[in-house]
Amino acid sequence: MFCPLVGSKNSSSSLAPQTPHSALEKTKEATRESWRHLAAGFALLGVLTSLSLTVYMGSAIALAALALTAVFFTYVFFIENGRSSKSSPLRVIDGIYKELQKTFSFSSSRPSRASSFEEISLLPPIKQIVISGGGAKGAVLPGAFRALLKDSPDLIENTEHLFGSSVGALFAALVATGISREGLKIIQQSNLNELLGEKPIYKDGKELMHFLRQWMRVNILSQLLQLPEERKRAFHEKEPFLADEMMKQLLEAPLEEACISFRMLAYLHIIYPSAFKDLSVTATKKEGGQFIFDAQRTPDTDVALACRASASLPIVFDPVQMVYQGETLTLFDGGLIDNIPVALVEEKKGKPAERVSDKTLVFVFEKQSDFPSVFHPENPNAPYRANFQTRLLRDEVIPRVAGFTLPTSYTVLRSELLNKIKNQYRHVISFRVDLKTRDFHKASKHPKKYSRIGKEAVRNFLAQRAAVRNL
């Protein structure tokens, strides 16, 4: 899908100086407060009724009245409030977007940001982040990025480019469009299993596209609220047509037609590099071979569509079809060939791994059954080797059932890739989780557990960087 042009009229929308989640949170809190008052009133009435019944009709009826009061009180506080706290992830993000859409104006200036963070390392700053694919293992990523934004915001601000495959592409797009810690918390608490859709296999991915498009719009609008005055002028003066078109896609286009292109994201990175990042994501062509989405190769392609293609896990999702340079392509999950796309970093920079590794942070996933860990410091020479079950499933069963061709063995490629990263890249965060690629239901049942794994892995990495500085 290429981004359509909505029109050339100037948008009259303007930015109001309030945070995007404030109006929605106030509405939710007012609803909860109403329930609390109602419950308290009925509880008081129940107590008074029970006392009256004790005097006139005996203790048994009084106890029954107290029990009914307790049941009602429990229903209001634990069931009704519980329902509101487990809202559909699509309804939650739609509510945030609508509130933000109503209050957007260009009249505010960016508030000064007081930062208590002091750079913890004199090592070269991280310029690229590479995020591995892993399906359900991506449940650790909200906690991981929340920890980075809290404990090392400069690391994210200094990052220029994000690379991702599969679920890594989804989170690369969210971070590249400037998602906040609050946004990541909402995603962490959402039942992401709902985004897979109702069909057991070969899902169309509409819910996932809806979710990603709306979050990107919320992220971008939230960051533009904080754009300094001089950047606001540059925003329209440098590329007025592109800027106007982007605002129409952000504020006016229907969700199913909204399109944030790679060109728009690259433009945002130029005018506001601390908030917005360049993005590259991978997919796998049906005939074999890698397809790369980025601002140079596919400038007018919808970022959400590219991420959907990159996350087209065989059998779980339908592949994505798109026309590129007159050719119709059928695209599968990017992780089938290049699950950890460090090679794209080397290509972008035109340098070998040893020249880019100092400024590249790599996120990888390992199963807890992979023991000892490939990346464990006490295991410096252990190579990664896939077991027989993994080789059979990845190299034979899935390609035959899904109908695509791999140029070489997936497990051989993964073994070579992990061993290359282990030996040539200095900054690696390895998440060891008890999840298989398709364990989406399990991941959704224990969001706090996996978020905690992500946070702990990131904080261990940051502690190691701080230790290097003190040597």
Side-chain angles (χ1 to χ4, degrees), residues 64 70 87 141 172 220 225 237 259 298 312 328 340-341 343 401 408 446:
S87 299
L141 293 175
I220 293 170
L225 277 165
E237 291 172 0
C259 176
T298 57
S312 295
T328 300
I340 316 171
V401 173
T408 187
H446 307 285

Side-chain angles (χ1 to χ4, degrees), residues 138-401:
V140 306
L141 293 175
F145 278 107
R146 287 193 74 211
L148 276 178
L149 288 169
K150 179 181 178 182
D151 299 335
S152 186
D154 286 3
L155 188 150
I156 296 292
E157 289 187 0
N158 290 330
T159 296
E160 297 173 351
H161 205 128
L162 285 110
F163 303 80
S165 287
S166 195
V167 70
L170 303 179
F171 277 90
L174 292 172
V175 176
T177 51
I179 195 167
S180 65
R181 290 188 69 242
E182 293 76 14
L184 287 164
K185 185 175 182 180
I186 293 171
I187 291 175
Q188 171 195 321
Q189 295 173 341
S190 300
N191 182 5
L192 298 183
N193 196 44
E194 293 182 13
L195 300 181
L196 299 180
E198 296 181 357
K199 292 173 62 178
I201 58 174
Y202 296 113
K203 307 167 192 291
D204 58 20
K206 288 182 179 179
E207 293 87 352
L208 185 61
M209 290 275 285
H210 176 152
F211 182 79
L212 188 58
R213 277 193 179 127
Q214 202 72 303
W215 265 114
M216 288 196 299
R217 295 208 292 190
V218 165
N219 296 342
I220 293 170
L221 292 173
S222 302
Q223 292 294 344
L224 292 180
L225 277 165
Q226 304 177 63
L227 199 64
E229 287 294 339
E230 63 274 12
R231 299 281 178 84
K232 290 178 188 174
R233 290 192 292 272
F235 180 75
H236 281 90
E237 291 172 0
K238 189 174 180 67
E239 294 283 351
F241 181 79
L242 182 62
D244 287 343
E245 177 58 30
M246 183 171 65
M247 294 311 299
K248 291 179 186 299
Q249 296 293 341
L250 289 171
L251 291 170
E252 299 175 10
L255 181 61
E256 61 275 10
E257 299 175 8
C259 176
I260 303 302
S261 68
F262 283 88
R263 187 193 305 275
M264 293 175 186
L265 189 54
Y267 175 54
L268 287 168
H269 173 62
I270 291 171
I271 64 170
Y272 200 3
S274 63
F276 303 111
K277 317 297 176 186
D278 278 327
L279 177 67
S280 297
V281 302
T282 68
T284 301
K285 293 188 281 189
K286 180 178 180 179
E287 299 77 16
Q290 187 180 57
F291 188 84
I292 301 168
F293 294 93
D294 59 21
Q296 286 70 46
R297 296 174 176 88
T298 57
D300 297 315
T301 299
D302 180 14
V303 171
L305 179 72
C307 293
R308 163 68 178 84
S310 186
S312 295
L313 201 62
I315 304 174
V316 175
F317 286 111
D318 283 328
V320 167
Q321 290 192 329
M322 62 172 284
V323 177
Y324 178 72
Q325 296 182 348
E327 179 185 1
T328 300
L329 300 177
T330 300
L331 300 175
F332 288 87
D333 194 290
L336 296 173
I337 287 183
D338 193 0
N339 202 38
I340 316 171
V342 292
L344 294 187
V345 181
E346 298 160 20
E347 176 196 294
K348 286 282 183 185
K349 299 298 179 182
K351 298 175 182 178
E354 58 268 19
R355 298 286 303 278
V356 298
S357 64
D358 280 353
K359 296 183 179 181
T360 303
L361 174 60
V362 185
F363 285 10
V364 301
F365 299 109
E366 291 185 279
K367 291 186 295 185
Q368 287 184 341
S369 58
D370 292 339
F371 185 82
S373 166
V374 177
F375 298 97
H376 196 284
E378 295 179 4
N379 187 33
N381 300 314
Y384 170 82
R385 294 187 180 91
N387 59 35
F388 173 76
Q389 181 183 358
T390 300
R391 293 198 302 271
L392 179 64
L393 183 67
R394 291 287 192 168
D395 295 342
E396 300 294 337
V397 176
I398 293 179
R400 290 176 186 274
V401 173

